Amino acid sequence: MFARVPDGPLIEHISQVSTGDIGEEPLVHVKGAKVVCANYRAIVQDFPQFFGPDASKKHRVAGCAVCEAANRPCPTAINDWLVRNAAFMSTQQSHPNMVNSPIELDGLVRTGFRPPGYGRAVVVPVDENPDQGGARFLDLKGAGVAPGLVPCHEPYKNGLEYLGFAIADFLYGWLIDTIFARTYPGYHVVPVYAVLDLGFDIVGGWHGTAPAGMHVRRAHARPIPGESLPLAGSEREKLDLHIEFLLRSFGLSTTGSGSSFRLVNPEIDGDDTLRYKSVPVVPCIDPEIAMIARVAESIRSSGADCLEVTNVQMADGGSWPEKTAQIYDFGQVRAERSFPNPVANGVRNAPLNIGRILSPGDAAFVQPHAAFALEADLGNRRSVDALGFYAAESFRRGPFEQIEVETMLRIGRLKIMRRDFEWAVQRVARRTGRKRASRKLTAQRLTGS
């Protein structure tokens, strides 16, 4: 689906994903998980030891007879490999709890790794590691809480990911990578190999009761907690700002309610009390008091609702001079027609972690460019989430299969980018028609009709 895949870096040893203490834990395998959408190009490129033409017989994943005869990777075989290597859940999450329906397991256990700050994500090794070549690990988002924790409905504490939200994020990642490819090709998203339907439900979460899913991503190195924000004036800060403003020129932003400062009493002049993530900000030192006054003034002078703070989640290894970077999370991304609120870059060596503040009236402030802005009504968070949850329900309950979900994502991407999509509809209709005809012929042969 994605047109390009960054060459690397590929993780060959678990110590490469973090400089912090990495915990080990047993993971249990979920029975009946299915692939909803997949990036086969990335999987084949990153795991040549299993899918490449030179893979040894010992490790090569064999496909169907048709694909083997054509000497091409087999999607069905890749799906089986994905489920076998990625459909894992933390042992703690598999116990009866209030946040998910019972999880059916098949008895397979694998050691997983949870780097510091990973929350509901873990890193798992793939099947028996060959002696040479290729990636050795998968990053799984939505794999449950860590040992010793009890899943609950508090923010970021249920350990899981809605399948609908995972599908929506897959689409946002595809949109962002398309923008990068056309502007700064050295920027990439960390490849998302697939989205899985885990077969059980999240119960009573922020979207009610709905199918649980999982992102399967390329394992990658991240900053440790406490260093995820850049230093003011650093090359990492320049990368963050450049990516944020590049996305804003297309109508996207990484800012949102989860990283914004708001006035508690906006109608009262002189009351600078702020809240962040619904919690009042209590200053402890004079620089924080001064920063609160700056933030309040920027909000009032702009006639705005809040001060938005950038939230570019970037893997280690980016370079400002070479304009290379990889971002790995899109849950905060949204599309807008315009950006009315002031924005600040987040840094770790400033009061309240607030760096430079830009207001909409400033010359450096970036608004969506009329010539190439995305269709905001289709690309906003609510619309993309609605598409994702519709696809999730249709996949879990029917009538959608993988091809229908991928078709919806392909057409959705083209429509959001204001591109012609009729060719995609026709192409998929032909593919779907051939597939259904093949099924009908197979059924006739099996029944003798």
Side-chain angles (χ1 to χ4, degrees):
M1 296 183 69
F2 285 62
R4 65 195 193 123
V5 183
D7 292 335
L10 301 180
I11 300 299
E12 296 183 352
H13 190 274
I14 191 61
S15 63
Q16 294 174 287
V17 303
S18 176
T19 57
D21 293 331
I22 300 173
E24 293 187 27
E25 60 185 275
L27 303 174
V28 289
H29 196 258
V30 179
K31 183 178 180 180
K34 297 179 180 179
V35 175
V36 180
C37 52
N39 184 356
Y40 295 117
R41 182 191 299 268
I43 297 166
V44 171
Q45 176 178 306
D46 285 3
F47 296 95
Q49 69 271 39
F50 299 111
F51 304 108
D54 299 325
S56 67
K57 291 184 178 180
K58 179 180 179 181
H59 301 293
R60 182 175 174 80
V61 175
C64 66
V66 175
C67 292
E68 287 291 317
N71 193 30
R72 66 189 180 201
C74 178
T76 301
I78 296 175
N79 284 2
D80 291 343
W81 181 88
L82 277 168
V83 169
R84 185 172 67 252
N85 285 279
F88 284 97
M89 187 62 51
S90 71
T91 303
Q92 190 73 8
Q93 195 79 38
S94 69
H95 297 158
N97 62 68
M98 63 183 295
V99 306
N100 59 261
S101 61
I103 302 174
E104 190 174 2
L105 307 175
D106 60 13
L108 180 63
V109 178
R110 185 168 295 185
T111 299
F113 303 90
R114 198 179 297 257
Y118 263 54
R120 56 186 169 176
V122 296
V123 179
V124 296
V126 295
D127 282 336
E128 180 185 0
N129 286 337
D131 295 331
Q132 296 180 355
R136 309 285 181 88
F137 296 88
L138 300 171
D139 178 296
L140 311 179
K141 180 181 178 183
V145 298
L149 300 180
V150 177
C152 66
H153 284 306
E154 293 181 27
Y156 309 108
K157 292 186 179 181
N158 74 349
L160 302 172
E161 177 75 288
Y162 280 109
L163 175 58
F165 200 78
I167 295 171
D169 269 14
F170 190 91
L171 177 53
Y172 270 124
W174 197 2
L175 285 168
I176 291 170
D177 196 64
T178 302
I179 291 171
F180 288 165
R182 296 179 179 180
T183 53
Y184 287 85
Y187 293 160
H188 291 84
V189 301
V190 171
V192 180
Y193 297 133
V195 173
L196 303 186
D197 177 2
L198 294 175
F200 63 89
D201 289 339
I202 296 176
V203 177
W206 62 266
H207 192 75
T209 298
M214 173 178 286
H215 302 261
V216 185
R217 304 180 286 201
R218 174 191 280 176
H220 53 278
R222 300 187 198 174
I224 61 174
E227 296 183 6
S228 57
L229 290 176
L231 293 170
S234 66
E235 291 192 353
R236 165 66 194 278
E237 183 196 27
K238 295 175 184 177
L239 277 172
D240 277 11
L241 287 171
H242 192 246
I243 289 173
E244 171 67 25
F245 292 152
L246 173 62
L247 294 178
R248 283 186 169 227
S249 67
F250 283 82
L252 294 178
S253 176
T254 67
T255 64
S257 59
S259 58
S260 297
F261 288 84
R262 298 179 181 274
L263 289 168
V264 173
N265 301 303
E267 70 283 353
I268 301 177
D269 291 337
D271 188 342
D272 292 346
T273 308
L274 300 176
R275 65 176 182 269
Y276 181 76
K277 295 183 178 179
S278 301
V279 178
V281 179
V282 179
C284 298
I285 55 177
D286 289 344
E288 291 180 347
I289 296 173
M291 181 60 75
I292 287 175
R294 280 186 57 204
V295 172
E297 172 59 23
S298 72
I299 295 173
R300 287 199 175 95
S301 63
S302 302
D305 294 328
C306 63
L307 171 71
E308 299 172 345
V309 182
T310 59
N311 189 16
V312 179
Q313 299 193 31
M314 190 185 307
D316 282 344
S319 168
W320 170 248
E322 297 178 4
K323 300 296 184 295
T324 59
Q326 293 186 30
I327 61 175
Y328 61 82
D329 200 294
F330 325 112
Q332 72 284 8
V333 172
R334 59 193 173 94
E336 301 289 349
R337 291 185 181 278
S338 64
F339 299 107
N341 299 316
V343 62
N345 59 305
V347 294
R348 67 176 187 265
N349 58 336
L352 306 184
N353 299 125
I354 296 174
R356 181 185 179 188
I357 298 175
L358 288 174
S359 296
D362 294 338
F365 195 89
V366 176
Q367 293 285 6
H369 194 289
F372 42 78
L374 305 181
E375 176 52 68
D377 288 342
L378 297 177
N380 64 49
R381 192 82 233 186
R382 179 176 296 180
S383 296
V384 175
D385 283 355
L387 182 146
F389 279 99
Y390 173 75
E393 288 292 338
S394 298
F395 185 87
R396 174 70 68 84
R397 323 292 178 196
F400 278 15
E401 295 185 8
Q402 181 178 343
I403 188 171
E404 282 81 18
V405 175
E406 292 179 349
T407 298
M408 178 177 285
L409 293 175
R410 182 173 286 108
I411 294 173
R413 167 178 162 269
L414 291 170
K415 293 181 73 172
I416 291 170
M417 299 194 73
R418 305 175 186 268
R419 300 291 300 276
D420 172 58
F421 60 90
E422 290 302 326
W423 64 270
V425 176
Q426 296 170 9
R427 177 183 177 189
V428 173
R430 289 194 297 270
R431 289 177 57 194
T432 305
R434 288 196 298 268
K435 185 175 180 180
R436 288 173 178 164
S438 176
R439 287 181 190 155
K440 183 177 180 181
L441 180 60
T442 300
Q444 290 173 343
R445 288 173 175 170
L446 290 175
T447 59
S449 59

